[in-house]
C-alpha cells in the first residue's frame, strides 16, 4: 500500500505539486527590489550624452550596439515578473511621449532602492506608497513653475531646432546641431494646418557610404529599388496604385481548352495578349504615367507598359504601398482595372537616382501639400546608421510633444535637482511617517545628475554639491557642464539644453506607478504548468527505444 504524505496546510495545499510560493519581506519584497535594482543599474550607465553603449544580441541572434534604453529594453527578453513591470512602464512612456524610457527605468530603480532602506528601518510598505504618491502630486504642482522656455510657433525653424537639440544630443553627441536642423526641416515641411502631427509621416532611408553630414531631407518617399521597365523618369506624374500583380489575369476556376491546330493556339494566346493590352491602354488613357504594384509585373505586361510610356515600380512591402498611397494621395486598387480620376495619385517627380552606388526610386513632392518627408541617412556602418535612426525617432517624437505642449524645462539635471530640493522642504511640513518616503523620493531624483556626472567621468559628489549650492541661491536652471574637465555647472537655459515638459510629467507618473505596484506585492505564487514543451533531444539520438 502506497504511503500518503499529507501536504502542509496553507496556500501550497491548494496548488499542484511543484508550485512555489514566496511570501513576506525577505522572500517577496526584497527579492523583487533586488531584481529591479540590477536592471536599473544596467541601464543607468547608458544615460546621457556620454552614456556607454550596450551590445545586445536578441533571440534571433541579431546584434544591436546602442545606448538607447528603449531598444535595449525591447530586445532583452526579461523574465522576472517585477522587472517586467518596469519594462511595461517604459513601453507606456515610449507610446505616450516617444522619449524618456531610460528616465522611467532609472527612477523606478532609485525609488525602490530608497524604499528598501525605509523597509529595513521598519516603515511599512503602505506608508511608503502613500508618501511616494504625495510626492508625485507635489512634483506635478511644482513642475509648471520650473518651465523656463516655451515654443510659441511650431513652424519656426529656429525655435524648433533649439527645443529638439537636447534629445538628439543624448544619442548623437557632437552631431546634434546638424541632426536637429535636419529633423526640424522634415517635421515642419509636413506639419498639417488642422489635424495633428503623425510621427509615421517622417520616414528614414539608410544608405551605406559617406558620412552623417551628407544626410538630407526629401519631400516624398525614397525606396531602395530599381524600376521594372525601361522608363526611369516621369515629371508631373499621375500614379495608379495596385495591390495585385500586373500580369495576365488567372481565371478563378480551372478549365480545359482543346486546341487542334497551330492557328487556334496562336489565336488563343493573341486573345490573352489583346485583353492585357486593353487593360494597360485603359490605364494609360486615364492620364497615369506611373504604375505602382504590390505584386509582380509580367513580361508581357512590361512590354505593353513600355509601348504606352508607363513607368513600372514594384514595392515588396504592403506598408510601403500604404505610405506611398498617403504620400501621393491615391487609392490602392485590388484588381487590374482603369482607376477613376479621384483614385489616381499625383507626384511632381518620379525618377531613378543613384546615391552612393545604391539605386533608389524617388517620389518627390515639391509643393506645400507634401504629406510625407524622408530623411536620407548616410553612414559608414549599419550600426552607426541604426543609432542615427533612433536619434531621429526621438527628435520626431519630441516635435510631436511640442505640437501638443510647447513648454520646456531646463535639462542637464537642473529640473531634477530643483524638484529634489523643493520636495525635501515639503517633507518637513508632513506630520506622519510618510514624510520619510517623500524625503527618499527627493533623494531618488538626485540619481539623474549623479548618472550624468558618473558617465562623463566627473566626481558626482562634488557636482551635486555645486548644483545644490547654486539652486539654493535661486539659480533654478543651473545644470551639469559636461564639457568642463572639472566638476562644473552651467545655465541650461542659456546653453539651450531643454527637456519637454510632457515627457518629464509622464515619466514621473509611470515611474511612481510602477514602483508603488512592485512595493505592494507581498506574495509571489508560481504555479506549476500543466504541460510544458518537451525536452530537446541531443542531435543524433535515436527516437525509437
Amino acid at each position: 500500500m502506497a504511503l500518503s504524505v499529507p501536504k502542509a496546510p496553507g496556500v501550497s495545499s491548494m496548488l499542484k505539486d511543484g508550485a512555489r510560493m514566496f511570501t513576506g519581506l525577505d522572500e517577496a519584497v526584497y527579492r523583487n527590489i533586488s531584481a529591479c535594482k540590477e536592471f536599473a543599474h544596467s541601464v543607468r550607465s547608458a544615460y546621457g550624452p556620454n552614456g556607454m553603449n550596450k551590445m545586445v544580441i536578441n533571440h534571433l541572434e541579431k546584434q544591436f550596439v546602442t545606448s538607447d534604453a528603449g531598444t535595449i529594453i525591447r530586445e532583452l527578453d526579461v523574465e522576472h515578473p517585477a522587472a517586467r513591470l518596469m519594462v511595461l512602464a517604459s513601453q507606456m512612456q515610449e507610446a505616450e511621449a516617444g522619449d524618456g524610457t531610460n528616465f522611467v527605468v532609472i527612477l523606478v530603480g532609485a525609488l525602490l532602492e530608497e524604499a528598501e532602506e525605509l523597509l529595513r528601518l521598519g516603515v511599512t510598505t503602505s506608508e511608503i506608497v502613500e508618501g511616494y504618491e504625495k510626492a508625485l502630486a507635489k512634483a506635478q504642482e511644482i513642475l509648471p513653475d520650473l518651465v523656463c522656455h516655451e515654443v510659441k510657433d511650431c513652424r519656426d525653424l529656429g525655435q524648433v531646432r533649439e527645443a529638439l537639440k537636447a534629445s538628439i544630443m543624448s544619442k548623437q553627441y557632437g552631431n546634434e546641431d546638424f541632426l536637429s536642423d535636419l529633423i526640424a526641416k522634415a517635421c515642419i515641411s509636413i506639419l498639417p494646418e488642422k489635424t495633428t502631427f503623425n510621427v509615421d509621416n517622417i520616414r528614414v532611408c539608410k544608405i551605406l557610404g559617406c558620412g552623417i553630414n551628407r544626410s538630407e531631407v526629401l519631400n516624398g518617399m525614397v525606396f531602395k529599388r530599381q524600376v521594372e521597365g525601361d522608363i526611369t523618369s516621369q515629371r508631373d506624374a499621375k500614379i495608379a496604385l495596385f495591390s495585385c500583380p500586373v500580369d495576365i489575369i488567372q481565371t478563378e476556376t480551372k478549365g480545359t481548352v482543346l486546341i487542334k491546330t497551330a492557328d487556334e493556339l496562336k489565336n488563343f494566346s493573341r486573345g490573352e495578349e489583346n485583353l492585357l493590352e486593353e487593360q494597360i491602354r485603359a490605364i494609360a488613357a486615364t492620364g497615369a504615367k506611373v504604375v505602382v504594384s504590390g505584386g509582380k509585373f509580367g513580361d508581357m505586361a512590361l512590354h505593353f507598359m513600355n509601348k504606352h510610356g508607363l513607368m513600372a515600380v514594384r514595392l515588396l512591402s504592403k506598408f510601403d504601398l500604404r505610405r506611398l498611397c498617403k504620400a501621393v494621395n491615391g487609392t490602392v486598387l485590388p484588381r487590374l482595372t482603369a482607376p477613376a480620376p479621384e483614385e489616381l495619385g499625383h507626384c511632381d517627380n518620379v525618377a531613378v537616382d543613384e546615391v552612393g552606388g545604391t539605386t533608389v526610386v524617388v517620389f518627390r513632392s515639391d509643393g506645400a501639400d507634401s504629406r510625407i518627408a524622408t530623411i536620407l541617412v548616410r553612414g559608414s556602418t549599419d550600426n552607426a546608421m541604426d543609432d542615427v535612426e533612433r536619434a531621429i525617432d526621438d527628435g520626431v517624437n519630441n516635435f510631436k510633444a511640442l505640437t501638443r505642449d510647447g513648454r520646456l524645462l531646463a535639462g542637464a539635471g537642473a529640473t531634477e535637482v530643483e524638484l529634489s530640493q523643493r520636495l525635501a522642504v515639503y517633507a518637513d511640513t508632513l506630520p506622519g511617517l510618510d514624510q520619510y518616503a517623500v524625503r527618499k523620493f527627493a533623494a531618488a531624483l538626485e540619481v539623474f545628475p549623479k548618472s550624468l556626472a558618473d558617465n562623463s567621468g566627473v566626481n558626482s559628489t562634488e557636482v551635486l554639491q555645486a548644483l545644490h549650492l547654486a539652486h539654493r541661491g535661486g539659480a533654478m536652471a543651473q545644470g551639469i557642464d559636461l564639457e568642463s574637465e572639472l566638476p562644473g555647472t552651467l545655465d541650461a537655459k542659456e546653453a539651450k539644453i531643454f527637456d519637454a515638459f510632457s515627457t518629464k510629467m509622464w515619466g514621473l507618473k509611470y515611474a511612481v506607478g510602477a514602483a508603488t505596484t512592485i512595493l505592494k506585492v507581498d506574495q509571489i505564487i508560481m504555479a506549476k504548468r500543466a504541460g510544458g514543451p518537451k525536452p530537446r533531444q541531443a542531435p543524433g539520438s535515436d527516437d525509437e527505444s
Side-chain angles (χ1 to χ4, degrees):
M1 194 168 105
L3 180 65
S4 175
V5 179
K7 287 187 178 181
V11 178
S12 58
S13 65
M14 299 184 290
L15 303 173
K16 286 187 177 182
D17 289 334
R20 290 181 294 163
M21 187 180 73
F22 305 99
T23 184
L25 280 177
D26 287 328
E27 287 191 347
V29 182
Y30 291 152
R31 187 186 290 250
N32 284 344
I33 289 174
S34 176
C36 293
K37 278 190 336 190
E38 289 298 321
F39 185 49
H41 276 295
S42 68
V43 183
R44 189 183 295 177
S45 60
Y47 184 69
N50 295 323
M52 302 294 286
N53 283 340
K54 309 290 181 187
M55 185 180 287
V56 181
I57 299 163
N58 68 3
H59 62 287
L60 298 173
E61 295 191 2
K62 185 178 179 185
Q63 180 178 304
F64 296 84
V65 180
T66 179
S67 62
D68 179 39
T71 306
I72 296 165
I73 292 163
R74 188 166 51 251
E75 298 303 330
L76 284 175
D77 197 7
V78 178
E79 284 196 359
H80 194 282
R84 280 189 65 80
L85 286 173
M86 295 172 75
V87 172
L88 290 171
S90 71
Q91 286 173 346
M92 281 304 300
Q93 170 73 3
E94 187 163 21
E96 187 64 46
D99 195 9
T101 49
N102 211 344
F103 179 88
V104 173
V105 174
I106 292 171
L107 185 54
V108 173
L111 289 172
L112 292 175
E113 198 170 341
E114 299 293 342
E116 186 179 12
E117 293 180 21
L118 291 178
L119 288 168
R120 295 194 188 281
L121 291 171
V123 183
T124 62
T125 50
S126 58
E127 286 163 342
I128 295 171
V129 167
E130 189 181 347
Y132 279 178
E133 286 172 350
K134 281 185 179 178
L136 173 63
K138 186 65 178 175
Q140 288 175 330
E141 280 180 33
I142 297 167
L143 268 183
D145 298 337
L146 304 184
V147 172
C148 64
H149 188 67
E150 188 170 356
V151 175
K152 299 277 175 52
D153 181 12
C154 286
R155 295 183 187 278
D156 185 344
L157 187 64
Q159 289 185 45
V160 172
R161 193 193 295 130
E162 285 176 3
L164 300 182
K165 191 175 169 183
S167 66
I168 296 158
M169 193 188 292
S170 64
K171 299 283 189 303
Q172 288 288 318
Y173 193 39
N175 296 319
E176 65 273 6
D177 291 320
F178 175 73
L179 283 176
S180 58
D181 187 53
L182 212 63
I183 296 165
K185 283 177 183 173
C187 293
I188 291 168
S189 68
I190 62 158
L191 181 62
E193 291 287 345
K194 296 176 183 176
T195 55
T196 56
F197 177 80
N198 186 1
V199 293
D200 201 41
N201 290 347
I202 301 291
R203 310 304 307 159
V204 175
C205 183
K206 296 173 286 188
I207 295 177
L208 205 61
C210 265
I212 188 174
N213 291 323
R214 294 297 298 273
S215 302
E216 57 180 315
V217 178
L218 291 171
N219 284 344
M221 293 197 72
V222 180
F223 301 102
K224 287 196 282 185
R225 293 198 59 76
Q226 177 62 277
V227 291
E228 300 293 314
D230 297 336
I231 297 162
T232 57
S233 176
Q234 292 283 17
R235 284 192 170 278
D236 192 22
K238 288 183 180 178
I239 301 170
L241 301 112
F242 298 98
S243 57
C244 62
V246 179
D247 201 355
I248 295 168
I249 298 172
Q250 301 292 328
T251 54
E252 293 180 5
T253 56
K254 290 184 179 179
T256 305
V257 179
L258 188 61
I259 295 173
K260 294 178 181 178
T261 65
D263 287 338
E264 286 179 0
L265 179 61
K266 203 190 263 184
N267 292 332
F268 179 76
S269 60
R270 188 180 293 123
E272 282 189 326
E273 290 172 15
N274 290 339
L275 180 63
L276 182 60
E277 186 173 10
E278 281 300 319
Q279 290 172 329
I280 301 293
R281 188 185 289 119
I283 293 169
T286 61
K289 293 182 179 179
V290 180
V291 175
V292 179
S293 172
K296 69 183 182 69
F297 285 85
D299 292 337
M300 188 60 66
L302 284 175
H303 165 70
F304 290 128
M305 289 181 73
N306 290 334
K307 180 180 174 182
H308 290 92
L310 293 175
M311 184 176 176
V313 181
R314 183 186 177 191
L315 298 181
L316 299 177
S317 166
K318 62 180 180 182
F319 300 107
D320 281 344
L321 193 61
R322 281 184 201 164
R323 289 177 189 122
L324 180 62
C325 178
K326 187 189 292 184
V328 301
N329 195 21
T331 304
V332 178
L333 301 176
R335 295 177 65 84
L336 192 62
T337 55
E342 62 272 11
E343 292 171 336
L344 286 168
H346 179 267
C347 197
D348 293 327
N349 189 14
V350 184
V352 175
D353 200 354
E354 190 171 319
V355 182
T358 304
T359 304
V360 294
V361 179
V362 182
F363 288 78
R364 192 191 298 269
S365 298
D366 298 322
D369 59 343
S370 178
R371 298 179 174 212
I372 288 185
T374 300
I375 298 177
L376 207 62
V377 174
R378 307 299 307 280
S380 54
T381 63
D382 288 325
N383 271 326
M385 290 192 295
D386 287 343
D387 231 21
V388 172
E389 185 180 10
R390 294 181 195 110
I392 290 170
D393 186 54
D394 281 357
V396 171
N397 278 291
N398 269 276
F399 180 81
K400 185 180 180 180
L402 287 177
T403 60
R404 293 175 175 175
D405 188 347
R407 291 178 291 175
L408 297 168
L409 301 166
T415 301
E416 287 84 357
V417 172
E418 186 67 24
L419 265 180
S420 173
Q421 286 195 357
R422 295 201 188 188
L423 286 174
V425 173
Y426 169 66
D428 295 335
T429 64
L430 298 173
L433 285 174
D434 51 3
Q435 65 173 291
Y436 296 106
V438 176
R439 202 168 280 115
K440 288 294 184 185
F441 190 103
L445 287 168
E446 292 179 355
V447 73
F448 295 103
K450 274 183 186 175
S451 300
L452 286 171
D454 288 336
N455 295 343
S456 302
V458 182
N459 189 324
S460 58
T461 309
E462 290 181 25
V463 169
L464 206 58
Q465 187 179 3
L467 281 174
H468 276 297
L469 280 172
H471 281 258
R472 284 197 188 98
M476 291 195 307
Q478 207 70 15
I480 296 173
D481 185 3
L482 296 178
E483 294 183 354
S484 171
E485 294 182 6
L486 300 171
T489 63
L490 55 73
D491 191 313
K493 186 178 177 181
E494 285 183 7
K496 311 291 185 189
I497 301 171
F498 300 117
D499 289 337
F501 177 86
S502 57
T503 303
K504 198 76 74 180
M505 180 70 86
W506 283 111
L508 287 168
K509 280 184 186 177
Y510 287 130
V512 173
T516 53
T517 304
I518 292 165
L519 285 172
K520 285 178 184 175
V521 174
D522 69 335
Q523 280 190 343
I524 304 172
I525 303 167
M526 301 174 73
K528 187 186 177 186
R529 291 181 182 177
K534 292 181 181 178
R536 292 179 63 184
Q537 290 186 333
S541 62
D542 194 3
D543 292 338
E544 295 177 1
S545 55

